[in-house]
Amino acid sequence: MKMMNCKDATQLMSERYERTLSLRELLSLKVHTAMCKGCSNYGQHLDVLRQASARLRAGNTSGEP
Amino acid sequence: MTNASAQAASPPWDDVSITVIRRDMLRFARMQLRDSGAAEDMVQEALMAAMTSAKSFAGRSAFKTWMFAILRNKIVDHIRASSREICGADLAGSSDMDAGLEEFDVLFNRRGLWNPDDRPATWADPEASFEQDAFWTVFDLCMNKLPEHIARVYTMRELLELDTAEICAELGITRSNCFVILHRARLGLRECLENRWFQGEAR
């Protein structure tokens, strides 16, 4: 199996919200993000996108002008 | 139920609360429908439906949550009713479906690694950003920059919380195509938010 690159890692991090990843996928993702600050940030940013969606669904988007 | 709790359970239909809630409802509807006129109609319908069914409110949930549930259901009904046309008009053709998918590939080099300029940086305090109106203006803008069919799948998933099986069925696309589109939506939205908002904040 080839080394996971950033393109593959970002795709898996997105699919994590849609399906259960296999153990193999989870492990190679973990190895990749441990070494790659960009992808580790990317994973956190996807959580921020999730939180933003939750705010929009609740109508909680009226902030300080 | 005592008189006091019965009173507390009626929705607050004063002008100020309607104006405030309508603004947030419009943002939600516009993001989903990408058509100001249709969004206005949908919000109007939801408000009227809520006013005529105030008995079902019964204080079970917060007023806003209840209003947004009504709006969500209206939009889902609308999508289900019109999905056949959407499918036939601009989603069924696989060439259209793939349009705009490659443009995100430029974020990576030939070996599939982040280009230095596009590598995700650390975002400072997103919670604090959520509290600012300016952040949501940028968020709207970034959603609008996504190709329309990508935004449609993303908002069906994230704003309406439909599961991928239903999205596939409504739009006549495969599960893996759906996954790819959601992935591209997240790539594009994240990139835009970093460039237009978080880059200035974090440094």
Side-chain angles (χ1 to χ4, degrees):
Chain A
M1 188 176 130
K2 74 178 172 86
M3 268 298 277
M4 178 175 286
N5 61 28
C6 302
K7 208 173 160 180
D8 302 330
T10 53
Q11 166 99 37
L12 275 188
M13 284 189 272
S14 173
E15 288 193 14
R16 196 158 57 177
Y17 293 103
E18 315 304 334
R19 65 177 176 91
T20 310
L21 301 188
S22 71
L23 185 60
R24 194 185 181 85
E25 288 171 324
L26 278 174
L27 290 178
S28 38
L29 189 57
K30 202 174 165 63
V31 170
H32 179 89
T33 51
M35 300 182 305
C36 177
K37 183 65 178 160
C39 284
S40 147
N41 284 337
Y42 188 87
Q44 289 174 27
H45 297 168
L46 290 193
D47 282 339
V48 174
L49 291 185
R50 263 285 146 114
Q51 290 159 22
S53 298
R55 284 256 182 165
L56 285 160
R57 288 197 304 270
N60 197 1
T61 52
S62 289
E64 301 294 318
Chain B
M1 200 188 251
T2 67
N3 281 344
S5 64
Q7 242 170 14
S10 39
W13 290 127
D14 58 279
D15 292 351
V16 176
S17 53
I18 290 178
T19 305
V20 170
I21 206 166
R22 188 173 170 279
R23 209 184 79 147
D24 290 323
M25 289 169 81
L26 270 176
R27 188 197 299 282
F28 180 95
R30 249 191 259 120
M31 219 169 261
Q32 179 67 59
L33 300 168
R34 285 223 170 178
D35 174 343
S36 288
E40 299 250 0
D41 290 350
M42 207 61 72
V43 168
Q44 183 74 17
E45 267 191 49
L47 282 168
M48 291 190 325
M51 286 174 177
T52 53
S53 66
K55 265 180 276 170
S56 73
F57 172 60
R60 273 174 292 128
S61 51
F63 177 57
K64 206 164 192 177
T65 311
W66 177 68
M67 286 299 315
F68 269 74
I70 293 173
L71 177 61
R72 178 199 174 274
N73 291 341
K74 290 255 171 228
I75 296 176
V76 171
D77 287 348
H78 172 81
I79 285 177
R80 284 181 183 147
S82 59
S83 68
R84 301 295 160 252
E85 303 157 37
I86 293 169
C87 180
D90 58 18
L91 279 172
S94 62
S95 59
D96 282 350
M97 209 60 220
D98 291 337
L101 290 188
E102 315 81 26
E103 69 181 84
F104 299 109
D105 286 350
V106 301
L107 298 172
F108 304 99
N109 67 17
R110 262 186 313 120
R111 290 161 56 219
L113 305 178
W114 290 107
N115 288 322
D117 285 350
D118 298 315
R119 185 181 302 129
T122 305
W123 287 1
D125 203 358
E127 282 290 330
S129 296
F130 291 162
E131 298 300 327
Q132 296 175 55
D133 263 354
F135 171 79
W136 294 105
T137 304
V138 171
F139 195 93
D140 280 345
L141 185 142
C142 289
M143 284 293 288
N144 274 314
K145 272 166 57 92
L146 291 178
E148 187 164 359
H149 62 283
I150 291 184
R152 182 181 292 136
V153 174
Y154 184 73
T155 52
M156 283 172 88
R157 180 76 187 98
E158 297 288 337
L159 299 188
L160 303 180
E161 287 190 296
L162 299 174
D163 59 35
T164 40
E166 171 156 23
I167 297 172
C168 296
E170 293 293 342
L171 301 180
I173 58 179
T174 65
R175 187 160 174 263
S176 65
N177 203 342
C178 196
F179 287 170
V180 170
I181 292 169
L182 287 170
H183 166 50
R184 300 301 165 132
R186 290 174 176 127
L187 269 179
L189 195 52
R190 193 218 70 83
E191 172 81 2
C192 179
L193 287 177
E194 177 152 323
N195 291 342
R196 304 215 173 214
W197 180 264
F198 286 105
Q199 212 156 46
E201 297 268 304
R203 284 175 188 168

